[in-house]
Amino acid sequence: MLDRFAALVRRFYSEPKGPIPLHAPVFAGKEKEYLCRCVDTTFVSSVGEYVTRFEDMLREFSGAAAAVAVVNGTCGLTAALGLVGVRPGEVVLTQALTFVATANAVRHAGAEPVFLDSDPDTLGMSPDALRAFLDAKAESGPDGPRLRADGRRIAACLPMHVLGHACRIREIAALCQEWRIPLVEDAAEALGSTLDGRHLGLFGRIGVLSFNGNKTVTTGGGGMLLTNDPELGARAKRLTATAKRPHPWEFFHDETAWNYRMPNVNAALGCAQMERIEDILADKRDVAAAYREFFANEADMEFVDQPEGCRSNFWLCSVRAGSRAARDAMLEWTNAHGIATRPLWRLMTDLPMYAGNAGDDLDAAREAVERVVSLPSGPRWGKRP
């Protein structure tokens, strides 16, 4: 099977012998033209035409009321948590199966993450686990729920859409509304993914995208806050830009704020990439369809498909192996033969700085970590076979 898989991947990416990365960017549009314009005009920092244009493109594409560009996804999450009222010493409910930036952002906001289990199919936070945790360990308070054990306020819920697939965000949103918990979505991997026609990141108060070098669209490094609330969007724009009052020359800042502004050179890349977003997404879905067909006849490998109602960007196409041994065998063989495959992240509770933060037993999340393999999934537009 692995020989046939390798042949398929090499045909996808028109690379008969060389290494095939997991998700490399393709710059086949106007990236160089826009970068040169930044240099020629000297607008290379956070002031420039491309920052505003990139925000407008993301707002229109996602359907958000406001989109605010920031320097990276981690800073975006940190800002989002602060914007919904998370304060030092409080608790944020999130998931153990995620990239470390999710947990780090909670700590950067001064709060402590509590990690819940995932659903086996979506890999995202399980609303069943969320409900069980709240029923068993939380109680209502005048300013929202608190932990029964120590009285700390549960200041936010932070689910993450894993690999671009929607978690059961509608059920999570309903629980958050019931318990009066602000909902922030880590949609770092979900640009172009929708659930019932709504872009991921727009089911809660605020959502955060990432444009890291390995994302569906890249700005080198960067992120974007999305919200349906225009007033919250305006406040996000102000507080991520040092809370400076507009003035032709004076520097007057009236709140403690962040300097998380995206530089114009990064936004220039993003504008060029967004001009071809539909091509990128269509190509990635073509790759996913080919993987789906290939693994349909493999008894020990199951393609990780988009959940019902979700139109996924298939940021990283993945398969679920029948066992940890089968997963390891695939990882070892493919990487030895020049094809980059990767396991999922270690559970946050398996990292030393978060070892004591588990909120439940994490059985489904641990099984996913032991069995899921991510496959080469980068866009091929401009380099199709």
Side-chain angles (χ1 to χ4, degrees), residues 5-7 9-10 18-21 331 333-342 376:
F5 170 73
V9 174
R10 292 195 175 281
I20 297 178
L331 287 167
W333 191 95
T334 50
N335 284 284
H337 288 78
I339 296 174
T341 60
R342 295 291 184 269

Side-chain angles (χ1 to χ4, degrees), residues 82-382:
L83 286 161
V84 302
V86 175
R87 299 293 177 259
E90 297 180 327
V91 166
V92 173
L93 304 182
T94 186
Q95 61 200 60
L97 179 53
T98 186
F99 181 59
V100 71
T102 311
N104 287 348
V106 177
R107 280 270 177 90
H108 291 321
E112 275 300 309
V114 173
F115 300 110
L116 303 180
D117 205 2
S118 293
D119 280 327
D121 54 347
T122 71
L123 304 178
M125 179 187 286
S126 167
D128 299 330
L130 175 60
R131 179 179 289 280
F133 179 88
L134 291 170
D135 287 344
K137 300 183 180 181
E139 60 186 9
S140 296
D143 54 355
R146 293 181 174 270
L147 295 179
R148 288 197 182 111
D150 56 20
R152 287 183 295 169
R153 188 172 78 100
I154 300 173
C157 180
L158 179 58
M160 188 260 210
H161 300 291
V162 177
L163 305 178
H165 304 312
C167 66
R168 289 162 61 195
I169 191 63
R170 290 167 298 190
E171 293 94 325
I172 292 170
L175 281 168
C176 288
Q177 183 175 11
E178 176 186 339
W179 281 83
R180 296 186 298 133
I181 303 172
L183 174 59
V184 176
E185 289 173 76
D186 185 343
E189 301 169 357
L191 175 65
S193 295
T194 60
L195 182 65
D196 295 335
R198 188 192 303 184
H199 199 285
L200 299 185
L202 295 177
F203 287 81
R205 293 284 316 278
I206 195 164
V208 182
L209 303 174
S210 171
F211 305 108
N212 189 32
N214 64 351
K215 293 301 190 293
T216 300
V217 158
T218 185
T219 59
M224 188 76 69
L225 305 180
L226 300 178
T227 181
N228 289 316
D229 183 342
E231 291 185 5
L232 184 61
R235 182 157 177 76
K237 183 73 171 176
R238 171 177 166 73
L239 289 184
T240 57
T242 73
K244 179 181 180 293
R245 287 189 184 177
H247 193 279
W249 60 83
E250 270 210 79
F251 293 91
F252 186 82
H253 309 258
D254 55 7
E255 290 188 72
T256 302
W258 306 282
N259 186 4
Y260 286 169
R261 298 171 290 183
M262 176 183 283
N264 200 42
V265 288
N266 296 90
L269 280 177
C271 289
Q273 294 259 292
M274 283 298 297
E275 288 173 353
R276 300 296 300 276
I277 181 61
E278 296 298 347
D279 290 337
I280 295 172
L281 290 170
D283 190 61
K284 287 172 64 60
R285 287 169 180 146
D286 285 347
V287 172
Y291 281 143
R292 182 187 298 113
E293 181 180 0
F294 179 86
F295 286 105
N297 299 315
E298 299 299 330
D300 203 34
M301 294 286 172
E302 176 190 4
F303 182 67
V304 178
D305 216 335
Q306 57 194 8
E308 183 179 356
C310 174
R311 181 166 171 77
S312 179
N313 64 7
F314 288 99
W315 173 60
L316 286 184
C317 295
S318 301
V319 290
R320 184 180 284 103
S323 65
R324 174 68 178 266
R327 184 208 75 161
D328 291 346
M330 185 173 193
L331 287 167
E332 290 171 6
W333 191 95
T334 50
N335 284 284
H337 288 78
I339 296 174
T341 60
R342 295 291 184 269
L344 294 175
W345 319 276
R346 292 193 180 192
L347 295 185
M348 294 301 98
T349 51
D350 290 342
L351 303 180
M353 60 281 199
Y354 299 120
N357 291 59
D360 57 18
D361 54 24
L362 309 178
D363 289 344
R366 191 164 301 282
E367 184 194 32
V369 167
E370 291 180 350
R371 293 174 55 190
V372 173
V373 180
S374 293
L375 315 174
S377 306
R380 305 167 304 160
W381 61 278

